[in-house]
């Protein structure tokens, strides 16, 4: 069925079709609509879900962890400060191997307070042990929400799917929904090995773990994250085979014959694709790399993509406040250390607090990258793009 | 009325071998509460003494399903567990009739976990929340909490040269909970085991959220000999420092009324945490504490009288 939906509506539709056992959530701009729409699904009898309207995001994610430990299929939604308030429990949920899925809208972290898009919220949670997948548009947000449930439950790792605040969350797009009945069939029932509700086989979850065992348990969690990429790829393929839309962990766009490329995440990749088309008409060999999956970092696919070109402009919609540049930039520099054909890198930190990025600005970046290709010189590695006084 | 013989014949749900101190009140709370439960239970615990001493991997003292999440969120965690139970029961994936119990110390309940507790009760999750109240953060080494009474020495309200222990009075958490109109609320203590057992059974039978604030002497933080735990618990009741009462369907009921209300000094002078008050230049801290105890006790008497006058005949 083809419909017009905002990103938030598309994610809420996916949640309705998933019909989770428990949703515990707290509203926050710009993700409020997801919670609001889902509440109406509950009150209109369209889902069987036990909805827990928590009194904070901290309690929402805590309830999600409890419900997941009890064997339920569990989802929530949040953004920005809400995710920051959940921060403590994000690590615990991952350590408890609770396969929770968050429909997340990327919004700047305070201060200054702002409600618009950047990626500072989820990137600040990058080490929490959650799978992170960044959607480019409403269609992908919808598809990935369904995929995330399957990935999380198979890997016993929590996952968050993100959209860019307002750009995707509130932008109306053409979205193709799959059949209501096909979604539960694709996901199947959640299989639970140890449930908190199994009173005949009592388990102790979340025990105190000291010097003698903590490291082994943490190592096994790291191992799960290290091995989850094939699961993500498998689910992406199953989804594509079933519903016709295929995704990859790293998307390459017009890259094979490109001289320079931009690397971006989220909606900006969609804008950059238009810039690539325009420049290609002028005969400029430019391409795009999109990091769809950010945690775990798909380093093999990323390395393969980056080493196809001579210069990569890395667009980060957040800064690490460390003098080292943005998150994608520092991590890509790291994986290139052992590469034979290292491209030159330039880091564009852009769009903080929702500052718009235009096709023309991205075209100008590509022109700069082509100049770097000719000169073989990057005079300034990290620039703050589109900010006054720069 | 529960019979000791019947309780003793049951299989233990909170077993020995844990790392609690000799004379630990909190572990007696856990054991008595679980023995009182007549239905299968799922337990959650907040970070704190009880959690730390009972689950050092690979050991567990819990012979029932147990989850620990964090310090401030046991009420929220158990809200989620109960929601999952309702969802899975509706779908026929669970058939048994279960009960849910959350344990938190006064730190995890009066202070950092107050919001989650309020949310759990307001949303009407059918969970029994047990606060094992030892009147300070004992797990981190005896720091003040909002349950710490006036004058008590803790490491963050020390008996100093110019300030003799805690300056403020206790927060009345039981009344805060009652303001939420839970299905059942009570105060209890381990020295009156039958009273506690009866209250746990009432709470688990009540169709909605319930709360029991269990006074739980801590021999380390309160500084008394380990064999005195039950005696100290009883003295708290005899001096009305810890009134035993319950609240259900809008009415108060004092469940144990001391024959003769003793002065609080009889409770204070058996504990090291109040020792400095007896050497202090004036009796202001003790007087203020006594005034608080009298005020709350008298109010409670009035409230339970109101209940009596409403009773028919």
């Amino acid at each position: 069925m083809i419909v017009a939906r905002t990103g938030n509506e598309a994610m809420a539709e996916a949640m309705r079709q998933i019909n989770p056992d428990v949703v515990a959530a707290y509203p926050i701009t710009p993700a409020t609509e997801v919670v609001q729409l889902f509440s109406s699904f509950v009150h209109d009898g369209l889902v069987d879900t036990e909805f827990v309207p928590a009194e904070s995001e901290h309690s929402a994610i805590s309830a999600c962890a409890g419900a997941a430990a009890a064997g339920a299929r569990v989802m929530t939604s949040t953004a920005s400060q809400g995710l920051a308030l959940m921060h403590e429990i994000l690590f615990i949920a991952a350590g408890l191997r609770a396969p929770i899925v968050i429909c997340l809208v990327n919004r700047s972290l305070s201060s200054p307070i702002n409600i618009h898009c950047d990626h500072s919220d989820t990137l600040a949670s990058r080490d929490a042990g959650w799978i992170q997948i960044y959607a480019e548009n409403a269609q992908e947000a919808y598809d990935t929400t369904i995929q995330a449930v399957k990935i999380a439950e198979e890997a016993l790792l929590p996952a968050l799917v993100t959209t860019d605040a307002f750009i995707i969350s509130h932008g109306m797009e053409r979205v193709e929904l799959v059949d209501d009945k096909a979604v539960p069939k694709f996901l199947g029932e959640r299989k639970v090995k140890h449930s908190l509700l199994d009173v005949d086989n009592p388990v102790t979850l979340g025990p105190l773990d000291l010097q003698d065992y903590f490291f082994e348990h943490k190592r096994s969690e790291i191992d799960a994250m290290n091995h989850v990429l094939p699961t993500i790829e498998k689910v992406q393929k199953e989804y594509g085979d079933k519903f016709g839309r295929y995704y990859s962990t790293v998307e390459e766009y017009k890259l094979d014959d490109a001289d320079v490329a931009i690397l971006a995440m989220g909606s900006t990749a969609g804008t950059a694709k238009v810039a690539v088309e325009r420049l290609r008409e002028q005969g400029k060999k430019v391409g795009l790399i999109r990091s769809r999956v950010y945690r775990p970092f798909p380093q093999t696919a990323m390395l393969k993509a980056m080493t196809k070109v001579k210069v990569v402009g890395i667009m980060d919609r957040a800064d690490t406040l460390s003098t080292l540049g943005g998150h994608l930039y520092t991590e890509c520099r790291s994986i290139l250390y052992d590469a034979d054909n290292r491209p030159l890198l330039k880091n564009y930190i852009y769009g903080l607090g929702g500052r718009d990025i235009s096709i023309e600005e991205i075209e100008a970046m590509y022109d700069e990258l082509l100049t770097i290709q000719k000169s073989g010189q990057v005079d300034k590695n990290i620039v703050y793009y589109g900010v006054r006084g720069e | 009325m529960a019979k000791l013989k019947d309780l003793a014949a049951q299989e233990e749900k909170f077993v020995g071998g844990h790392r609690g101190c000799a004379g630990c009140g909190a572990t007696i709370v856990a054991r008595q509460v679980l023995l009182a439960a007549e239905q299968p239970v799922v337990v959650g615990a907040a970070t704190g003494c009880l959690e730390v001493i009972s689950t050092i991997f690979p050991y567990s003292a819990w012979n029932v399903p147990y989850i620990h999440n964090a310090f401030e969120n046991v009420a929220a965690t158990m809200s989620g567990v109960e929601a999952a139970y309702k969802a899975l029961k509706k779908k026929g994936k669970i058939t048994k009739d279960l009960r849910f119990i959350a344990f938190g110390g006064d730190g995890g309940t009066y202070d950092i976990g107050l919001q989650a507790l309020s949310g759990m009760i307001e949303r009407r999750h059918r969970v029994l929340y047990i606060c094992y109240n030892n009147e300070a953060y004992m797990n981190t080494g005896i720091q003040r909490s909002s349950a710490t009474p006036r004058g008590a020495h803790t490491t963050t309200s020390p008996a100093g040269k110019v300030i003799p222990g805690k300056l403020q009075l206790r927060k009345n958490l039981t009344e805060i909970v009652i303001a939420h109109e839970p299905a059942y609320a009570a105060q209890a203590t381990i020295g009156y085991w039958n009273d506690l057992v009866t209250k746990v059974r009432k709470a688990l039978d009540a169709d909605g959220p319930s709360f029991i604030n269990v006074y739980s002497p801590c021999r380390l933080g309160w500084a008394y000999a380990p064999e005195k735990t039950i005696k100290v618990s009883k003295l708290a009741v005899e001096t009305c420092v810890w009134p035993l009462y319950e609240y259900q369907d809008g009415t108060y009921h004092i469940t144990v009324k001391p024959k003769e209300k003793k002065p609080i000094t009889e409770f204070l002078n058996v504990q090291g945490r109040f020792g400095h008050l007896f050497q202090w230049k004036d009796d202001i801290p003790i007087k203020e504490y006594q005034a608080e105890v009298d005020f709350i006790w008298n109010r409670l008497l009035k409230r339970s009288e109101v209940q009596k006058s409403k009773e028919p005949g």
Side-chain angles (χ1 to χ4, degrees):
Chain A
M1 188 170 58
I2 296 164
V3 293
R5 292 285 185 274
T6 65
N8 280 345
E9 289 168 353
M11 278 179 146
E13 288 281 18
M15 287 174 72
R16 177 183 60 76
Q17 294 178 318
I18 292 162
N19 193 10
D21 297 311
V22 175
V23 168
Y26 189 82
I28 181 168
T29 303
T32 303
E33 266 180 326
V34 179
V35 183
Q36 229 168 258
L37 287 166
F38 195 80
S39 309
S40 69
F41 298 151
V42 175
H43 282 223
D44 291 339
L46 300 178
V47 288
D48 309 312
T49 308
E50 277 297 317
F51 178 57
V52 181
E55 81 295 337
S56 72
E57 289 90 351
H58 193 283
S59 283
I61 193 69
S62 300
C64 285
R73 178 167 285 162
V74 186
M75 298 183 78
T76 186
S77 175
T78 193
S80 184
Q81 306 304 120
L83 187 69
L85 190 57
M86 288 181 179
H87 193 69
E88 179 197 24
I89 311 304
L90 294 181
F91 290 77
I92 295 172
L96 286 172
R97 306 294 296 274
I100 303 159
V101 172
I102 301 183
C103 292
L104 192 131
V105 183
N106 280 119
R107 163 188 150 182
S108 314
L109 277 178
S110 292
S111 84
I113 188 168
N114 176 292
I115 56 167
H116 293 278
C117 175
D118 66 37
H119 296 158
S120 53
D121 51 0
T122 45
L123 292 175
S125 298
R126 64 180 172 171
D127 300 336
W130 283 59
I131 294 163
Q132 294 197 2
I133 307 180
Y134 291 70
E136 183 185 314
N137 50 45
Q139 179 71 62
E140 187 180 336
Y142 166 81
D143 293 330
T144 309
T145 300
I146 297 167
Q147 293 172 11
V149 171
K150 193 160 194 175
I151 294 165
E153 288 178 7
E154 282 191 21
L156 279 184
L157 286 172
L160 55 87
V161 181
T162 82
T163 62
D164 285 348
F166 295 102
I167 303 162
I168 302 175
S169 69
H170 287 62
M172 188 70 77
E173 292 181 51
R174 174 194 185 278
V175 178
E176 206 173 322
L177 304 180
V178 306
D179 186 60
D180 277 1
K181 284 184 190 132
V183 174
K185 214 174 144 197
F186 175 74
L187 296 175
E189 300 270 306
R190 187 185 157 196
K191 292 179 190 74
V192 185
K193 210 169 161 192
H194 303 289
S195 165
L196 203 55
L197 300 183
D198 184 1
V199 288
D200 298 322
N201 300 288
V203 287
T204 289
L205 294 175
L208 177 63
D209 211 14
L210 298 174
Q211 301 94 320
D212 45 359
Y213 285 101
F214 178 94
F215 204 169
E216 281 74 18
H217 292 145
K218 193 44 78 176
R219 182 69 185 86
S220 75
E221 184 193 338
I222 295 164
D223 208 43
M225 189 57 100
N226 285 351
H227 290 93
V228 75
L229 271 174
T231 308
I232 297 173
E233 283 159 0
K234 186 191 73 144
V235 173
Q236 286 176 161
K237 183 163 184 312
E238 282 171 8
Y239 190 88
D241 290 347
K242 191 108 187 160
F243 304 120
R245 282 182 298 279
Y246 290 89
Y247 296 97
S248 50
T249 56
V250 174
E251 183 188 355
E252 297 183 7
Y253 187 78
K254 308 259 162 114
L255 200 65
D256 286 340
D257 67 338
D259 293 325
V260 305
I262 273 179
L263 164 60
M265 284 203 296
S267 65
T268 303
T271 314
K273 283 174 186 171
V274 181
V276 168
E277 292 299 332
R278 285 190 186 177
L279 294 172
R280 286 252 165 194
E281 279 172 25
Q282 298 168 28
K284 292 172 182 170
K285 287 186 172 176
V286 298
L288 175 79
I289 306 166
R290 179 168 72 97
S291 180
R292 177 174 127 85
V293 175
Y294 175 72
R295 278 291 178 272
F297 200 79
Q299 49 170 310
T300 309
M302 186 61 79
L303 198 60
K304 185 173 147 262
M306 283 200 297
T307 50
K308 283 183 180 176
V309 295
K310 312 251 169 20
V311 189
V312 182
I314 299 176
M315 293 182 74
D316 270 302
R317 204 161 194 159
D319 190 27
T320 57
L321 288 94
S322 65
T323 77
L324 297 171
H327 301 75
L328 276 173
Y329 177 68
T330 53
E331 294 184 357
C332 287
R333 267 174 80 100
S334 162
I335 63 168
L336 284 167
Y337 186 81
D338 295 316
D340 292 330
N341 310 306
R342 277 190 300 222
L344 294 170
L345 298 183
K346 186 164 178 99
N347 191 197
Y348 297 101
I349 292 169
Y350 76 101
L352 304 192
R355 180 151 302 175
D356 200 22
I357 185 85
S358 68
I359 301 167
E360 291 73 22
E361 283 172 312
I362 296 177
E363 283 178 1
M365 284 179 195
Y366 273 119
D367 283 334
E368 189 180 13
L369 298 175
L370 288 165
T371 309
I372 291 170
Q373 187 213 339
K374 269 184 213 140
S375 68
Q377 294 284 323
V378 185
D379 44 335
K380 207 173 174 192
N381 293 95
I382 304 161
V383 292
Y384 293 82
Y385 203 82
V387 64
R388 287 184 190 85
E390 197 70 14
Chain B
M1 284 283 273
K3 284 186 184 139
L4 258 188
K5 216 168 78 181
D6 298 339
L7 292 178
Q10 281 189 44
E11 191 190 358
E12 293 284 354
K13 295 169 192 162
F14 182 83
V15 302
H18 56 71
R19 323 285 178 96
C21 301
C24 170
T27 50
I28 302 174
V29 174
R31 183 166 176 252
Q32 287 188 2
V33 167
L34 292 188
L35 283 179
E38 292 167 307
Q39 306 86 355
V41 296
V42 176
V43 162
T47 308
C49 276
L50 186 62
E51 167 257 334
V52 165
I53 57 102
S54 65
T55 66
I56 301 180
F57 190 89
Y59 304 105
S60 175
W62 301 90
N63 210 4
V64 293
Y66 164 99
I67 185 167
H68 162 251
N69 187 338
F71 189 11
E72 68 281 58
N73 66 354
V74 66
T77 305
M78 292 310 285
S79 295
V81 174
E82 189 252 7
Y85 167 70
K86 278 166 78 178
L88 297 175
K89 202 159 192 198
K90 210 158 56 182
K91 290 177 183 171
K93 292 183 185 176
I94 300 271
T95 49
K96 283 195 173 160
D97 193 24
L98 308 183
R99 294 289 184 274
F100 301 91
I101 303 177
F103 286 96
D106 50 296
T109 310
Y110 277 68
D111 292 343
I112 201 166
L114 181 61
Q115 176 184 313
L117 173 64
S118 174
M120 182 198 94
I121 302 171
E122 186 273 333
R123 291 188 304 268
R124 311 302 290 179
H125 294 281
R126 190 168 176 176
V127 176
L128 164 57
Y129 193 108
I130 299 281
C131 174
Y132 66 97
N133 176 10
N134 51 31
E135 299 193 320
Y137 302 141
M138 299 314 184
N139 187 41
T140 43
I142 318 160
Q143 289 83 36
R144 88 188 275 289
S145 77
S146 61
T148 305
R150 175 77 170 101
H153 163 90
T154 71
T155 56
T156 50
S157 63
K161 285 178 184 150
V162 294
I163 303 175
K166 192 184 169 192
L167 286 171
Q168 301 81 14
L169 300 170
R170 299 174 289 180
K171 182 195 278 180
N172 195 330
L173 180 66
T174 309
E175 292 301 319
I176 293 171
V177 168
I178 288 171
H180 288 71
E181 293 297 338
Y184 182 83
Q187 286 196 168
T189 188
I190 49 177
Y192 293 82
W193 63 269
N194 213 330
D195 182 69
L196 173 60
V197 166
T198 306
K199 283 170 177 168
V200 169
R201 288 180 177 172
K202 279 188 185 177
L204 291 176
D205 283 341
D207 188 11
S210 52
F211 173 84
I212 307 178
N213 199 342
V214 187
Y215 207 58
S216 172
C218 168
R219 55 98 21 201
L220 197 70
W222 295 11
Y224 60 79
E227 68 276 14
K228 297 277 195 314
T229 295
I230 298 301
K231 189 188 170 200
V232 171
S233 161
K234 286 182 172 171
L235 272 171
V237 177
E238 289 161 8
T239 54
C240 295
V241 159
W242 197 252
L244 302 185
Y245 71 103
E246 62 189 0
Y247 176 86
Q248 195 168 24
D249 300 327
T251 55
Y252 283 84
H253 175 215
I254 295 171
T255 55
V256 175
K257 208 166 175 177
K259 280 190 189 105
E260 167 214 0
K261 180 168 170 274
K262 294 177 177 170
I264 63 164
T265 45
E266 291 193 27
F267 170 70
L268 306 186
N269 67 18
V270 295
Q271 301 171 61
R273 63 175 171 155
F274 297 112
H276 59 286
L277 297 182
F278 296 94
Q279 273 92 53
W280 189 245
K281 62 185 179 200
D282 59 45
D283 57 359
I284 290 171
I286 293 178
K287 272 193 164 160
E288 284 187 6
Y289 191 2
Q290 181 71 61
E292 179 216 37
V293 166
D294 294 346
F295 170 77
I296 290 170
W297 177 247
N298 288 332
R299 189 175 62 184
L300 203 55
L301 285 173
K302 269 187 222 153
R303 284 176 174 170
S304 51
E305 276 166 20
V306 172
Q307 178 212 345
K308 270 183 202 155
S309 68
K310 272 186 188 165
E311 280 167 7

